Each structure stands twice: as structure tokens, then as C-alpha cells.
Amino acid sequence: MTGVQTCALPICNQINDLRSFNGGGIGIIVASYNGTTANNNTITGNEVTGTLHVGSCDSGGYDGSGIVVYADFRGGSAGASILTGNLVSGNTVTMVSDNPTVVDMEGLELTESKDAQDPPLPEVPSVITGNTLDDNDVSVSGHGIAITGSSSNSITGNTVSNSGGSIYLTASGGAVPGISYSCSNTVSGNSFLDNTVQAEAGSCVAGNNFDGDRKSTRLNSSHIPLSRMPSSA
């Protein structure tokens, strides 16, 4: 899938409120599975705002997402072949979950779901690579930016404020075979302001370049939970 979003107005789409019930809760998703690709898409000028309404019987175990680039390896499928060249730029995500202990709300995500496999897949490099998150404005109840099992992407010039966390990077799958690593990403020139936790790094995230990020709270390099999946589409 390849696409360029165009619109005549400064705001292309306004997405107000999301709902989840054992899945869902996604504003915009670029995804691929079963050996396919989703490359060179441009997602720009969108607003995702309001409340994530969590179903009363939702069992949780995932997060909602404002905008997510997602490699789906669930259900024993072959998974995505590659997701590259996607640009997420100039969007606004302002969302809170009404039940964050069950399903919280993330702003922007680059996520592989290899950790959903049982037994785990053999270890392979990340298929989410060469994508750009640039100049987005995010304020959510969860993490503003979540990078899971994604390598050599560019995260630059974003503003994350008043969120549960600014950015975290972690491996997909934990310390078991079948993981992908979040390595060698460029995280540069972002503004991380007034967030509960500034930046978190889980295991296997070597080689990430943090340069010129403006911070107003602490840097937390503690281990993060590794069960990272966005909602089911």
C-alpha cells in the first residue's frame, strides 16, 4: 500500500473520540501483515482529539493509539515484509483514556507485534525502518511516542507535553528468541515538556541517538514492560 494524503484545508481530518472493546481505539493506522508492505505513505495535518472510551468488559492488555505504523505478526501469520518510507508529520494528537489502568492512550507509535507469538518467531531484524515522525504535537494520558521493535527511524521536532510519558523505546518480544530491537533510531530536536516520565529505555535499545531534545523533567532509564501492542484493527 502506498499513498499520499492531500487536502485543501490546514486540517485534513478531525477524529473526535475513540472506542475500544477488546480491540479498536485507533485513530489512524498504517499496517501490513502476511508478507505484504505498507510503504511511502504520508500522514499529515490530522487532529485526533477527545476521549478513548474503554468498554466496560474490556480485558485490556493493549493500548489505544492516535497514529500508529504497525507490523502485524499476530495469529501465526508471516507478518509484514517491510514498512518503510512512511512520514507522519504535522499532526495533533490530544487524547485521554477514561480507564487508563485497563487501556491507556498512546500518541504516536512505531510497533512490531512479534511479542504476540507463541512459540516465538526466530530472531529477525526489524521490518519497521526508515520511517519519520516529525513536527507532531502530542498530549495523551499514556506515552506520547512509543517505539517497539523498530530500528533506524527518525523521530525529530515533535512536541510531547503533559503526558504520562514522553517517549519510550523497547524491544519487541522481550529477552526471548523472536524479538526485534529498537536500535539506531535518531531522536533529535524534540520538546518533552511537563510529562510524568521523560524518556524510558527498555532492554536491547543500543545505538539510539538522542540529540538536542529539550526536557523539563527527569530522564528515566529503567526497564519498561515489554508487552507492547496497539489495539487490534
Side-chain angles (χ1 to χ4, degrees):
M1 179 180 73
T2 302
V4 177
Q5 178 191 33
T6 60
C7 57
L9 299 175
I11 299 174
C12 288
N13 297 291
Q14 291 182 309
I15 301 170
N16 298 314
D17 289 354
L18 300 171
R19 297 186 181 275
S20 71
F21 184 73
N22 295 318
I26 297 176
I28 299 170
I29 184 169
V30 177
S32 185
Y33 76 109
N34 202 27
T36 59
T37 65
N39 300 334
N40 302 316
N41 296 281
T42 298
I43 309 300
T44 187
N46 302 282
E47 287 189 352
V48 184
T49 62
T51 301
L52 171 62
H53 299 281
V54 180
S56 60
C57 297
D58 200 310
S59 58
Y62 64 97
D63 294 321
S65 301
I67 302 172
V68 57
V69 176
Y70 183 55
D72 192 350
F73 286 80
R74 296 172 299 166
S77 76
S81 173
I82 191 169
L83 288 90
T84 191
N86 296 293
L87 172 64
V88 178
S89 178
N91 303 281
T92 298
V93 180
T94 306
M95 294 283 303
V96 296
S97 169
D98 64 8
N99 193 351
T101 60
V102 177
V103 181
D104 209 350
M105 189 68 205
E106 312 283 34
L108 309 175
E109 291 193 53
L110 302 176
T111 295
E112 286 193 0
S113 66
K114 291 190 180 73
D115 50 344
Q117 296 300 307
D118 184 19
L121 293 171
E123 182 178 317
V124 294
S126 172
V127 301
I128 299 182
T129 185
N131 302 283
T132 299
L133 307 180
D134 171 73
D135 194 29
N136 300 283
D137 193 348
V138 179
S139 179
V140 292
S141 54
H143 291 88
I145 302 172
I147 310 299
T148 305
S150 305
S151 296
S152 300
N153 301 283
S154 178
I155 300 97
T156 61
N158 301 283
T159 297
V160 178
S161 60
N162 299 303
S163 297
S166 59
I167 181 169
Y168 75 58
L169 301 96
T170 191
S172 172
V176 297
I179 66 177
S180 288
Y181 302 113
S182 291
C183 300
S184 303
N185 295 286
T186 297
V187 184
S188 177
N190 302 283
S191 293
F192 298 146
L193 305 173
D194 299 321
N195 303 293
T196 303
V197 176
Q198 268 305 103
E200 297 176 277
S203 61
C204 307
V205 290
N208 293 293
N209 174 32
F210 287 82
D211 178 43
D213 295 314
R214 190 159 60 100
K215 308 175 182 70
S216 67
T217 53
R218 67 187 182 278
L219 175 68
N220 183 343
S221 297
S222 62
H223 187 74
I224 330 169
L226 291 172
S227 179
R228 284 290 307 121
M229 284 180 60
S231 321
S232 300

